Amino acid sequence: MKELRETVKSLLTEGKVDLVIGWEKGTMPGASTPVFIDTAEKADSLIFDSTCRNNLSVYFTKDRRELAKDDKKIGVVVKGCDSRSLVLNITEKQIDREKVTIIGVPCNGVLDMKKVTGKVDGKEILEFTDDGERVTVKGREFEQTFPLDEVISDSCVTCVRRDAVEHDLFIGEAREPGSDENAYVEVEEFEKLDSGERWARMEQEYSACIRCYACRNVCPSCYCNVCFVDQNDPQWIGKSPEITDTMIFHIIRNLHVAGRCVECGACERACPMDIKLLLLNRKVAKEVRDRFGSVTGTGLENKPAMADFKEDENQDFIMG
């Protein structure tokens, strides 16, 4: 924590950046909130732990006009998945690499608070601490400690790139990516179902959707000026949460982020209905990896799979 704060102070004091986006402690136990640091004094509020769930790269795509004001040089604190989003946005020309200072932090996974509250049978949590390997929660007449690995987000369980793949500075020592040999076990189980069973599974999941669009709004890869669901002329789909329109929304969004989703899990964590949104996203990510050898956001030299073409790439899906 101290190294992160001192690094940000130095960047601001030396004029290398005008603003740093990071996290500070939230108002609820087990929560943090994004913070914009523009003076060295404010850097003391910075934190990084398992409560830092937001993918901060979203501010470059959702709020890029605001951030571009006055030609600001911006620093941003990133986990592995956040850095992959930044790489994607840089390759898509949404971010000028020269104006961004990327500060990597060592990530051991981010909390799924639903798992935490499940561990304490829904009791009210009044205090929360995280030592990097274990979390401790306290409430009225109870205190429990459990391994961090048991309460991290599902997207973090299979993550093999926890540290920033692209960074200018790193707090601590960055680790090499792990093997993704077992990263898609759930997807492989899904693939064993026949087409009718897969459709029924998806219909069951998406029937709970209330079309709040929280999944879209937190996604750094979803940044169209006008989303197709908000268009009235022509109106592509109905506005009500009728299942057919809901399925169309999710399928089109899924195809829209094909080869662009970094599997950060922000969509799933934001969903108020606990829909397993990552399953279909990861199915497509696996398909893109297997067919095109492309893993999103892992190198500035790599174009997104759907924006690139190689004469020798696998095209058997066209013949099918």
Side-chain angles (χ1 to χ4, degrees):
M1 204 86 76
K2 182 179 178 182
E3 185 180 352
L4 171 63
R5 291 169 180 168
E6 293 303 317
T7 298
V8 170
K9 286 179 183 177
S10 296
L11 289 171
L12 288 164
T13 303
E14 295 168 12
K16 293 181 178 176
V17 298
D18 301 303
L19 178 76
V20 173
I21 309 172
W23 298 272
E24 66 178 1
K25 189 174 181 180
T27 56
M28 301 289 288
S32 66
T33 186
V35 61
F36 292 70
I37 305 291
D38 57 4
T39 65
E41 290 74 23
K42 294 180 182 177
D44 284 329
S45 71
L46 281 169
I47 66 165
F48 180 73
D49 58 22
S50 62
T51 67
C52 300
R53 293 184 281 271
N54 303 68
N55 185 335
L56 299 181
S57 66
V58 74
Y59 290 105
F60 290 88
T61 51
K62 302 290 195 212
D63 194 32
R64 59 188 184 277
R65 293 177 184 81
E66 186 68 26
L67 286 175
K69 278 184 179 177
D70 303 326
D71 206 25
K72 287 180 178 174
K73 293 173 289 183
I74 299 169
V76 58
V77 185
V78 295
K79 307 181 293 290
C81 49
D82 307 345
S83 76
R84 291 176 60 194
S85 289
L86 283 178
V87 169
L88 171 74
N89 296 150
I90 291 167
T91 58
E92 291 184 334
K93 310 299 182 189
Q94 300 302 308
I95 301 174
D96 184 344
R97 179 69 181 92
E98 299 300 317
K99 294 181 181 176
V100 179
T101 298
I102 303 173
I103 307 165
V105 284
C107 178
N108 291 321
V110 299
L111 279 184
D112 181 337
M113 281 306 289
K114 293 163 190 165
K115 292 183 181 179
V116 176
T117 54
K119 287 274 189 185
V120 296
D121 299 325
K123 295 174 186 170
E124 184 181 15
I125 297 170
L126 300 176
E127 290 184 41
F128 173 92
T129 55
D130 168 13
D131 69 6
E133 295 182 355
R134 296 166 300 175
V135 296
T136 299
V137 293
K138 296 180 183 178
R140 293 183 180 84
E141 301 179 350
F142 79 89
E143 176 177 337
Q144 281 187 241
T145 299
F146 22 80
L148 177 61
D149 285 345
E150 294 182 3
V151 289
I152 58 175
S153 173
D154 288 346
S155 60
C156 302
V157 173
T158 54
C159 177
V160 297
R161 294 176 179 81
R162 290 187 170 184
D163 293 342
V165 297
E166 171 77 11
H167 55 83
D168 300 296
L169 302 164
F170 197 90
I171 307 303
E173 188 172 341
R175 297 159 292 187
E176 292 294 320
S179 167
D180 67 353
E181 184 179 357
N182 299 314
Y184 292 101
V185 172
E186 186 182 11
V187 174
E188 288 163 357
E189 290 299 315
F190 178 70
E191 290 172 338
K192 291 176 183 175
L193 303 175
D194 63 37
S195 59
E197 292 171 325
R198 291 198 298 271
W199 181 261
R201 169 76 186 278
M202 289 296 94
E203 197 170 50
Q204 182 184 20
E205 286 288 344
Y206 295 143
S207 63
C209 178
I210 56 174
R211 299 275 293 279
C212 66
Y213 304 129
C215 54
R216 176 198 66 180
N217 295 345
V218 297
C219 178
S221 299
C222 253
Y223 57 77
C224 291
N225 289 333
V226 180
C227 178
F228 76 99
V229 298
D230 295 328
Q231 290 184 353
N232 293 316
D233 186 19
Q235 182 172 319
W236 298 102
I237 62 174
K239 302 295 186 184
S240 71
E242 198 276 329
I243 185 61
T244 304
D245 289 330
T246 299
M247 293 289 281
I248 291 172
F249 162 63
H250 284 287
I251 291 170
I252 290 180
R253 200 182 100 76
N254 189 257
L255 292 173
H256 193 182
V257 298
R260 303 174 62 245
C261 173
V262 300
E263 306 164 60
C264 66
C267 54
E268 204 165 275
R269 290 190 292 274
C271 179
M273 304 307 291
D274 294 337
I275 299 172
K276 295 291 185 185
L277 296 165
L278 265 181
L279 177 59
L280 204 53
N281 284 353
R282 302 193 75 236
K283 161 65 178 163
V284 174
K286 177 176 177 291
E287 202 72 31
V288 170
R289 182 200 64 175
D290 295 345
R291 287 183 176 277
F292 306 112
S294 174
V295 178
T296 305
T298 53
L300 291 174
E301 69 284 0
N302 300 327
K303 290 183 181 177
M306 297 300 113
D308 197 13
F309 174 74
K310 297 180 179 66
E311 290 186 359
D312 60 348
E313 67 189 24
N314 188 347
Q315 300 181 49
D316 61 345
F317 64 96
I318 296 176
M319 301 301 292

